Amino acid sequence: MPSSLAKCVRINKARDYAHTFQNGSHTHGKFWKLIANNSGNSNSRLGLAISKKVYKRAVDRNLFKRLARETFRQNHEDLESLDFVVMIKKTTRATNKAIIDDLLSLMKNVNSNAKT
């Protein structure tokens, strides 16, 4: 499996982001804010909204983007056909494992709510 995220599982268009922000269900954990909406496609898609207002340094923003993409890439087969927009919260230092576990639990929680 390639290590990059395929184009078909990325949210790229502004109208898709706007639709997810307006119609999606919002949830948050210790490190992440997650907005999920039905994608209307056969697969899940991921959008990243990592703000410069929250983390000024590009190296910090890029770390969170890499963690979110890799978490999604490894687990997107288990998720329903939802669009996820991921945002980071300003927090203190934490391990990568804790950050990944928080995002994965949010995705699975939203996924289990979508099934019911």
Side-chain angles (χ1 to χ4, degrees), residues 3 5 11 14 18 26 29 37 40-42 50 55 69-72 77 89 95 102 106 109 113:
S3 62
L5 206 57
I11 299 175
H26 297 250
N37 189 29
N41 297 331
S42 62
I50 308 298
Y55 282 98
R69 279 190 212 109
E70 186 63 16
T71 302
F72 181 79
E77 294 91 14
K89 293 165 109 178
T95 63
D102 185 46
L106 286 174
N109 186 22
N113 290 340

Side-chain angles (χ1 to χ4, degrees), residues 16-31:
D16 293 338
Y17 275 100
H19 184 263
T20 303
F21 275 110
Q22 290 173 354
N23 302 324
S25 61
H26 297 250
T27 185
H28 62 89
K30 186 174 180 181
F31 304 107

Side-chain angles (χ1 to χ4, degrees), residues 72-111:
F72 181 79
R73 188 184 67 78
Q74 290 179 347
N75 298 290
H76 78 275
E77 294 91 14
D78 301 334
L79 303 171
E80 291 293 314
S81 58
L82 297 171
D83 283 346
F84 294 101
V85 175
V86 176
M87 296 177 287
I88 193 71
K89 293 165 109 178
K90 184 71 173 177
T91 59
T92 59
R93 295 276 178 187
T95 63
N96 288 351
K97 179 158 177 36
I99 294 169
I100 289 170
D101 289 343
D102 185 46
L103 180 59
L104 189 57
S105 69
L106 286 174
M107 286 181 170
K108 290 192 176 188
N109 186 22
V110 167
N111 189 42

Side-chain angles (χ1 to χ4, degrees), residues 32-48:
W32 300 97
K33 296 177 194 173
L34 182 74
I35 304 169
N37 189 29
N38 189 358
S39 70
N41 297 331
S42 62
N43 56 354
S44 296
R45 297 188 305 167
L46 177 69
L48 299 170

Side-chain angles (χ1 to χ4, degrees), residues 51-57 61 64 89-91:
S51 174
K52 197 182 231 186
K53 290 181 181 179
V54 178
Y55 282 98
K56 302 285 186 217
R57 295 177 354 148
R61 294 191 306 274
F64 292 116
K89 293 165 109 178
K90 184 71 173 177
T91 59

